[in-house]
Amino acid sequence: QVQLTESGGGLVQSGESLTLSCGISAYKFTANAAGWYRQPPGKQRELVATINPGGRTNYLDSVEGRFFISRDNTKDTVYLQMNSLKPEDTAVYYCTAGTFMGAHYYPNSKWGDGTQVTVSS
């Protein structure tokens, strides 16, 4: 069973940076994709960034150029570097293991507890 451990959230001011980490165990990490979702207060969960096994990345339009997803296959870990944070980035962030079918990303792991990111103005 895939186990996800997210960390790195916190309270920051607008314009600051944070890096989230996600350890994905019991999973053929190098052969599969991963992604980060977020759920802002009172809103639905949305896909923020994905990375395929070859390292190709995709981003939500609103974070393009500010957020960067990466993976370390030696540590079975996925990262989300978040720069120039804005109050609207405030959310609980979740990582997932998943697969691509065509251009679409499908998570195939259970949701973890997530990590809270709060950006003050």
Side-chain angles (χ1 to χ4, degrees):
Q1 184 174 354
V2 177
Q3 304 243 344
L4 306 166
T5 307
E6 301 116 333
S7 63
L11 172 63
V12 296
Q13 294 188 335
S14 182
E16 294 185 337
S17 299
L18 276 176
T19 300
L20 307 182
S21 300
C22 177
I24 305 179
S25 63
Y27 182 64
K28 295 180 181 179
F29 184 81
T30 58
N32 289 278
W36 285 94
Y37 286 78
R38 69 184 180 187
Q39 187 164 17
K43 297 184 179 180
Q44 290 190 334
R45 197 172 291 175
E46 60 185 357
L47 181 60
V48 175
T50 60
I51 186 166
N52 76 0
R56 183 173 180 174
T57 58
N58 282 287
Y59 298 94
L60 183 68
D61 285 349
S62 61
V63 308
E64 182 85 49
R66 299 189 298 120
F67 288 15
F68 301 95
I69 188 171
S70 61
R71 59 193 297 159
D72 185 339
N73 291 339
T74 66
K75 297 180 179 179
D76 290 351
T77 301
V78 178
Y79 304 95
L80 186 66
Q81 171 72 37
M82 306 185 295
N83 301 322
S84 302
L85 282 161
K86 304 175 181 180
E88 52 264 42
D89 295 318
T90 294
V92 179
Y93 284 73
Y94 303 87
C95 73
T96 62
T99 58
F100 276 96
M101 293 181 66
H104 297 285
Y105 175 78
Y106 295 92
N108 57 20
S109 59
K110 289 184 178 180
W111 296 101
D113 292 332
T115 185
Q116 175 71 48
V117 173
T118 303
V119 185
S120 63
S121 58

PDB file of all heavy atoms in Angstrom, residues 44-69:
ATOM      1  N   GLN A  44     -13.035  23.624  -3.727  1.00  0.00           N
ATOM      2  CA  GLN A  44     -12.730  22.247  -4.107  1.00  0.00           C
ATOM      3  C   GLN A  44     -11.228  22.049  -4.288  1.00  0.00           C
ATOM      4  O   GLN A  44     -10.476  22.992  -4.529  1.00  0.00           O
ATOM      5  CB  GLN A  44     -13.464  21.912  -5.419  1.00  0.00           C
ATOM      6  CG  GLN A  44     -14.961  21.795  -5.263  1.00  0.00           C
ATOM      7  CD  GLN A  44     -15.621  21.229  -6.507  1.00  0.00           C
ATOM      8  OE1 GLN A  44     -15.099  21.357  -7.608  1.00  0.00           O
ATOM      9  NE2 GLN A  44     -16.760  20.581  -6.330  1.00  0.00           N
ATOM     10  N   ARG A  45     -10.842  20.815  -4.178  1.00  0.00           N
ATOM     11  CA  ARG A  45      -9.459  20.465  -4.386  1.00  0.00           C
ATOM     12  C   ARG A  45      -9.083  20.659  -5.851  1.00  0.00           C
ATOM     13  O   ARG A  45      -9.879  20.354  -6.740  1.00  0.00           O
ATOM     14  CB  ARG A  45      -9.249  19.003  -3.976  1.00  0.00           C
ATOM     15  CG  ARG A  45      -7.824  18.587  -3.761  1.00  0.00           C
ATOM     16  CD  ARG A  45      -7.791  17.187  -3.163  1.00  0.00           C
ATOM     17  NE  ARG A  45      -8.296  17.172  -1.804  1.00  0.00           N
ATOM     18  CZ  ARG A  45      -8.469  16.066  -1.090  1.00  0.00           C
ATOM     19  NH1 ARG A  45      -8.221  14.891  -1.637  1.00  0.00           N
ATOM     20  NH2 ARG A  45      -8.915  16.120   0.131  1.00  0.00           N
ATOM     21  N   GLU A  46      -7.885  21.170  -6.103  1.00  0.00           N
ATOM     22  CA  GLU A  46      -7.435  21.383  -7.482  1.00  0.00           C
ATOM     23  C   GLU A  46      -6.020  20.867  -7.674  1.00  0.00           C
ATOM     24  O   GLU A  46      -5.212  20.881  -6.744  1.00  0.00           O
ATOM     25  CB  GLU A  46      -7.501  22.878  -7.847  1.00  0.00           C
ATOM     26  CG  GLU A  46      -6.649  23.783  -6.994  1.00  0.00           C
ATOM     27  CD  GLU A  46      -6.826  25.261  -7.317  1.00  0.00           C
ATOM     28  OE1 GLU A  46      -7.585  25.603  -8.251  1.00  0.00           O
ATOM     29  OE2 GLU A  46      -6.208  26.091  -6.627  1.00  0.00           O
ATOM     30  N   LEU A  47      -5.753  20.433  -8.898  1.00  0.00           N
ATOM     31  CA  LEU A  47      -4.439  19.916  -9.238  1.00  0.00           C
ATOM     32  C   LEU A  47      -3.498  21.078  -9.501  1.00  0.00           C
ATOM     33  O   LEU A  47      -3.778  21.930 -10.345  1.00  0.00           O
ATOM     34  CB  LEU A  47      -4.540  19.018 -10.473  1.00  0.00           C
ATOM     35  CG  LEU A  47      -3.258  18.366 -10.962  1.00  0.00           C
ATOM     36  CD1 LEU A  47      -2.639  17.481  -9.898  1.00  0.00           C
ATOM     37  CD2 LEU A  47      -3.547  17.557 -12.238  1.00  0.00           C
ATOM     38  N   VAL A  48      -2.380  21.099  -8.812  1.00  0.00           N
ATOM     39  CA  VAL A  48      -1.439  22.216  -8.887  1.00  0.00           C
ATOM     40  C   VAL A  48      -0.279  21.914  -9.835  1.00  0.00           C
ATOM     41  O   VAL A  48       0.103  22.758 -10.646  1.00  0.00           O
ATOM     42  CB  VAL A  48      -0.889  22.551  -7.490  1.00  0.00           C
ATOM     43  CG1 VAL A  48       0.174  23.637  -7.569  1.00  0.00           C
ATOM     44  CG2 VAL A  48      -2.018  22.983  -6.564  1.00  0.00           C
ATOM     45  N   ALA A  49       0.294  20.732  -9.698  1.00  0.00           N
ATOM     46  CA  ALA A  49       1.476  20.398 -10.497  1.00  0.00           C
ATOM     47  C   ALA A  49       1.626  18.895 -10.602  1.00  0.00           C
ATOM     48  O   ALA A  49       1.260  18.170  -9.670  1.00  0.00           O
ATOM     49  CB  ALA A  49       2.736  21.003  -9.864  1.00  0.00           C
ATOM     50  N   THR A  50       2.167  18.454 -11.727  1.00  0.00           N
ATOM     51  CA  THR A  50       2.452  17.036 -11.919  1.00  0.00           C
ATOM     52  C   THR A  50       3.837  16.861 -12.512  1.00  0.00           C
ATOM     53  O   THR A  50       4.384  17.772 -13.138  1.00  0.00           O
ATOM     54  CB  THR A  50       1.444  16.363 -12.866  1.00  0.00           C
ATOM     55  OG1 THR A  50       1.499  17.015 -14.147  1.00  0.00           O
ATOM     56  CG2 THR A  50       0.035  16.437 -12.315  1.00  0.00           C
ATOM     57  N   ILE A  51       4.378  15.673 -12.300  1.00  0.00           N
ATOM     58  CA  ILE A  51       5.663  15.322 -12.897  1.00  0.00           C
ATOM     59  C   ILE A  51       5.600  13.871 -13.339  1.00  0.00           C
ATOM     60  O   ILE A  51       5.168  13.002 -12.578  1.00  0.00           O
ATOM     61  CB  ILE A  51       6.816  15.590 -11.901  1.00  0.00           C
ATOM     62  CG1 ILE A  51       8.170  15.362 -12.580  1.00  0.00           C
ATOM     63  CG2 ILE A  51       6.675  14.770 -10.630  1.00  0.00           C
ATOM     64  CD1 ILE A  51       9.342  15.935 -11.785  1.00  0.00           C
ATOM     65  N   ASN A  52       5.998  13.612 -14.576  1.00  0.00           N
ATOM     66  CA  ASN A  52       5.940  12.239 -15.065  1.00  0.00           C
ATOM     67  C   ASN A  52       7.276  11.530 -14.798  1.00  0.00           C
ATOM     68  O   ASN A  52       8.223  12.151 -14.287  1.00  0.00           O
ATOM     69  CB  ASN A  52       5.526  12.212 -16.542  1.00  0.00           C
ATOM     70  CG  ASN A  52       6.640  12.603 -17.494  1.00  0.00           C
ATOM     71  OD1 ASN A  52       7.765  12.920 -17.087  1.00  0.00           O
ATOM     72  ND2 ASN A  52       6.335  12.582 -18.777  1.00  0.00           N
ATOM     73  N   PRO A  53       7.354  10.238 -15.078  1.00  0.00           N
ATOM     74  CA  PRO A  53       8.593   9.523 -14.739  1.00  0.00           C
ATOM     75  C   PRO A  53       9.834  10.113 -15.390  1.00  0.00           C
ATOM     76  O   PRO A  53      10.927  10.034 -14.830  1.00  0.00           O
ATOM     77  CB  PRO A  53       8.318   8.104 -15.258  1.00  0.00           C
ATOM     78  CG  PRO A  53       6.842   7.966 -15.185  1.00  0.00           C
ATOM     79  CD  PRO A  53       6.310   9.325 -15.551  1.00  0.00           C
ATOM     80  N   GLY A  54       9.679  10.724 -16.555  1.00  0.00           N
ATOM     81  CA  GLY A  54      10.820  11.312 -17.241  1.00  0.00           C
ATOM     82  C   GLY A  54      11.166  12.707 -16.787  1.00  0.00           C
ATOM     83  O   GLY A  54      12.140  13.289 -17.262  1.00  0.00           O
ATOM     84  N   GLY A  55      10.362  13.248 -15.866  1.00  0.00           N
ATOM     85  CA  GLY A  55      10.644  14.584 -15.348  1.00  0.00           C
ATOM     86  C   GLY A  55       9.865  15.702 -16.008  1.00  0.00           C
ATOM     87  O   GLY A  55      10.055  16.877 -15.672  1.00  0.00           O
ATOM     88  N   ARG A  56       8.978  15.361 -16.943  1.00  0.00           N
ATOM     89  CA  ARG A  56       8.177  16.401 -17.591  1.00  0.00           C
ATOM     90  C   ARG A  56       7.155  16.924 -16.596  1.00  0.00           C
ATOM     91  O   ARG A  56       6.510  16.148 -15.899  1.00  0.00           O
ATOM     92  CB  ARG A  56       7.472  15.845 -18.819  1.00  0.00           C
ATOM     93  CG  ARG A  56       6.668  16.887 -19.578  1.00  0.00           C
ATOM     94  CD  ARG A  56       6.138  16.334 -20.865  1.00  0.00           C
ATOM     95  NE  ARG A  56       5.371  17.334 -21.606  1.00  0.00           N
ATOM     96  CZ  ARG A  56       4.880  17.143 -22.826  1.00  0.00           C
ATOM     97  NH1 ARG A  56       5.063  15.985 -23.440  1.00  0.00           N
ATOM     98  NH2 ARG A  56       4.201  18.104 -23.405  1.00  0.00           N
ATOM     99  N   THR A  57       6.998  18.242 -16.569  1.00  0.00           N
ATOM    100  CA  THR A  57       6.139  18.865 -15.571  1.00  0.00           C
ATOM    101  C   THR A  57       4.990  19.637 -16.210  1.00  0.00           C
ATOM    102  O   THR A  57       5.084  20.093 -17.360  1.00  0.00           O
ATOM    103  CB  THR A  57       6.948  19.840 -14.693  1.00  0.00           C
ATOM    104  OG1 THR A  57       7.561  20.831 -15.533  1.00  0.00           O
ATOM    105  CG2 THR A  57       8.028  19.093 -13.918  1.00  0.00           C
ATOM    106  N   ASN A  58       3.917  19.773 -15.446  1.00  0.00           N
ATOM    107  CA  ASN A  58       2.774  20.593 -15.834  1.00  0.00           C
ATOM    108  C   ASN A  58       2.266  21.333 -14.609  1.00  0.00           C
ATOM    109  O   ASN A  58       2.372  20.817 -13.482  1.00  0.00           O
ATOM    110  CB  ASN A  58       1.648  19.724 -16.412  1.00  0.00           C
ATOM    111  CG  ASN A  58       1.929  19.305 -17.829  1.00  0.00           C
ATOM    112  OD1 ASN A  58       1.847  20.091 -18.758  1.00  0.00           O
ATOM    113  ND2 ASN A  58       2.291  18.042 -18.003  1.00  0.00           N
ATOM    114  N   TYR A  59       1.710  22.533 -14.855  1.00  0.00           N
ATOM    115  CA  TYR A  59       1.297  23.379 -13.746  1.00  0.00           C
ATOM    116  C   TYR A  59      -0.072  24.001 -13.986  1.00  0.00           C
ATOM    117  O   TYR A  59      -0.467  24.281 -15.129  1.00  0.00           O
ATOM    118  CB  TYR A  59       2.314  24.513 -13.537  1.00  0.00           C
ATOM    119  CG  TYR A  59       3.685  24.025 -13.191  1.00  0.00           C
ATOM    120  CD1 TYR A  59       4.652  23.836 -14.164  1.00  0.00           C
ATOM    121  CD2 TYR A  59       4.024  23.737 -11.865  1.00  0.00           C
ATOM    122  CE1 TYR A  59       5.915  23.372 -13.849  1.00  0.00           C
ATOM    123  CE2 TYR A  59       5.289  23.280 -11.532  1.00  0.00           C
ATOM    124  CZ  TYR A  59       6.228  23.086 -12.530  1.00  0.00           C
ATOM    125  OH  TYR A  59       7.475  22.627 -12.206  1.00  0.00           O
ATOM    126  N   LEU A  60      -0.750  24.271 -12.874  1.00  0.00           N
ATOM    127  CA  LEU A  60      -1.941  25.092 -12.887  1.00  0.00           C
ATOM    128  C   LEU A  60      -1.532  26.480 -13.370  1.00  0.00           C
ATOM    129  O   LEU A  60      -0.466  26.988 -12.982  1.00  0.00           O
ATOM    130  CB  LEU A  60      -2.498  25.149 -11.466  1.00  0.00           C
ATOM    131  CG  LEU A  60      -3.801  25.892 -11.207  1.00  0.00           C
ATOM    132  CD1 LEU A  60      -4.966  25.188 -11.847  1.00  0.00           C
ATOM    133  CD2 LEU A  60      -4.014  26.015  -9.689  1.00  0.00           C
ATOM    134  N   ASP A  61      -2.367  27.095 -14.214  1.00  0.00           N
ATOM    135  CA  ASP A  61      -2.002  28.394 -14.787  1.00  0.00           C
ATOM    136  C   ASP A  61      -1.619  29.415 -13.726  1.00  0.00           C
ATOM    137  O   ASP A  61      -0.673  30.200 -13.905  1.00  0.00           O
ATOM    138  CB  ASP A  61      -3.158  28.938 -15.621  1.00  0.00           C
ATOM    139  CG  ASP A  61      -3.295  28.218 -16.959  1.00  0.00           C
ATOM    140  OD1 ASP A  61      -2.379  27.454 -17.329  1.00  0.00           O
ATOM    141  OD2 ASP A  61      -4.327  28.420 -17.625  1.00  0.00           O
ATOM    142  N   SER A  62      -2.340  29.441 -12.629  1.00  0.00           N
ATOM    143  CA  SER A  62      -2.127  30.479 -11.622  1.00  0.00           C
ATOM    144  C   SER A  62      -0.815  30.340 -10.859  1.00  0.00           C
ATOM    145  O   SER A  62      -0.408  31.270 -10.156  1.00  0.00           O
ATOM    146  CB  SER A  62      -3.291  30.516 -10.631  1.00  0.00           C
ATOM    147  OG  SER A  62      -3.404  29.290  -9.946  1.00  0.00           O
ATOM    148  N   VAL A  63      -0.139  29.191 -10.991  1.00  0.00           N
ATOM    149  CA  VAL A  63       1.146  29.002 -10.295  1.00  0.00           C
ATOM    150  C   VAL A  63       2.309  28.880 -11.266  1.00  0.00           C
ATOM    151  O   VAL A  63       3.469  28.810 -10.840  1.00  0.00           O
ATOM    152  CB  VAL A  63       1.117  27.765  -9.365  1.00  0.00           C
ATOM    153  CG1 VAL A  63      -0.075  27.818  -8.436  1.00  0.00           C
ATOM    154  CG2 VAL A  63       1.136  26.459 -10.149  1.00  0.00           C
ATOM    155  N   GLU A  64       2.014  28.869 -12.563  1.00  0.00           N
ATOM    156  CA  GLU A  64       3.057  28.747 -13.581  1.00  0.00           C
ATOM    157  C   GLU A  64       4.107  29.842 -13.396  1.00  0.00           C
ATOM    158  O   GLU A  64       3.778  31.017 -13.242  1.00  0.00           O
ATOM    159  CB  GLU A  64       2.421  28.847 -14.968  1.00  0.00           C
ATOM    160  CG  GLU A  64       3.387  28.686 -16.121  1.00  0.00           C
ATOM    161  CD  GLU A  64       3.633  27.233 -16.487  1.00  0.00           C
ATOM    162  OE1 GLU A  64       2.663  26.493 -16.634  1.00  0.00           O
ATOM    163  OE2 GLU A  64       4.809  26.857 -16.617  1.00  0.00           O
ATOM    164  N   GLY A  65       5.373  29.432 -13.369  1.00  0.00           N
ATOM    165  CA  GLY A  65       6.457  30.387 -13.196  1.00  0.00           C
ATOM    166  C   GLY A  65       6.788  30.708 -11.758  1.00  0.00           C
ATOM    167  O   GLY A  65       7.816  31.332 -11.480  1.00  0.00           O
ATOM    168  N   ARG A  66       5.928  30.302 -10.823  1.00  0.00           N
ATOM    169  CA  ARG A  66       6.201  30.538  -9.382  1.00  0.00           C
ATOM    170  C   ARG A  66       6.460  29.242  -8.640  1.00  0.00           C
ATOM    171  O   ARG A  66       7.240  29.203  -7.696  1.00  0.00           O
ATOM    172  CB  ARG A  66       5.009  31.252  -8.732  1.00  0.00           C
ATOM    173  CG  ARG A  66       4.696  32.604  -9.302  1.00  0.00           C
ATOM    174  CD  ARG A  66       3.642  33.330  -8.468  1.00  0.00           C
ATOM    175  NE  ARG A  66       2.365  32.623  -8.438  1.00  0.00           N
ATOM    176  CZ  ARG A  66       1.787  32.188  -7.327  1.00  0.00           C
ATOM    177  NH1 ARG A  66       2.355  32.378  -6.155  1.00  0.00           N
ATOM    178  NH2 ARG A  66       0.606  31.578  -7.400  1.00  0.00           N
ATOM    179  N   PHE A  67       5.774  28.174  -9.048  1.00  0.00           N
ATOM    180  CA  PHE A  67       5.909  26.872  -8.391  1.00  0.00           C
ATOM    181  C   PHE A  67       6.695  25.931  -9.289  1.00  0.00           C
ATOM    182  O   PHE A  67       6.563  25.969 -10.517  1.00  0.00           O
ATOM    183  CB  PHE A  67       4.539  26.245  -8.129  1.00  0.00           C
ATOM    184  CG  PHE A  67       3.725  26.894  -7.049  1.00  0.00           C
ATOM    185  CD1 PHE A  67       4.033  28.152  -6.544  1.00  0.00           C
ATOM    186  CD2 PHE A  67       2.620  26.236  -6.524  1.00  0.00           C
ATOM    187  CE1 PHE A  67       3.281  28.738  -5.545  1.00  0.00           C
ATOM    188  CE2 PHE A  67       1.845  26.813  -5.525  1.00  0.00           C
ATOM    189  CZ  PHE A  67       2.170  28.066  -5.042  1.00  0.00           C
ATOM    190  N   PHE A  68       7.488  25.062  -8.658  1.00  0.00           N
ATOM    191  CA  PHE A  68       8.292  24.112  -9.417  1.00  0.00           C
ATOM    192  C   PHE A  68       8.257  22.760  -8.722  1.00  0.00           C
ATOM    193  O   PHE A  68       8.641  22.644  -7.561  1.00  0.00           O
ATOM    194  CB  PHE A  68       9.731  24.614  -9.543  1.00  0.00           C
ATOM    195  CG  PHE A  68       9.822  25.948 -10.229  1.00  0.00           C
ATOM    196  CD1 PHE A  68       9.866  27.117  -9.492  1.00  0.00           C
ATOM    197  CD2 PHE A  68       9.841  26.034 -11.610  1.00  0.00           C
ATOM    198  CE1 PHE A  68       9.922  28.351 -10.116  1.00  0.00           C
ATOM    199  CE2 PHE A  68       9.901  27.260 -12.249  1.00  0.00           C
ATOM    200  CZ  PHE A  68       9.937  28.417 -11.499  1.00  0.00           C
ATOM    201  N   ILE A  69       7.811  21.746  -9.449  1.00  0.00           N
ATOM    202  CA  ILE A  69       7.771  20.391  -8.920  1.00  0.00           C
ATOM    203  C   ILE A  69       9.013  19.653  -9.379  1.00  0.00           C
ATOM    204  O   ILE A  69       9.492  19.842 -10.502  1.00  0.00           O
ATOM    205  CB  ILE A  69       6.482  19.667  -9.379  1.00  0.00           C
ATOM    206  CG1 ILE A  69       6.340  18.315  -8.680  1.00  0.00           C
ATOM    207  CG2 ILE A  69       6.424  19.523 -10.892  1.00  0.00           C
ATOM    208  CD1 ILE A  69       4.987  17.647  -8.931  1.00  0.00           C
TER     209      ILE A  69
END
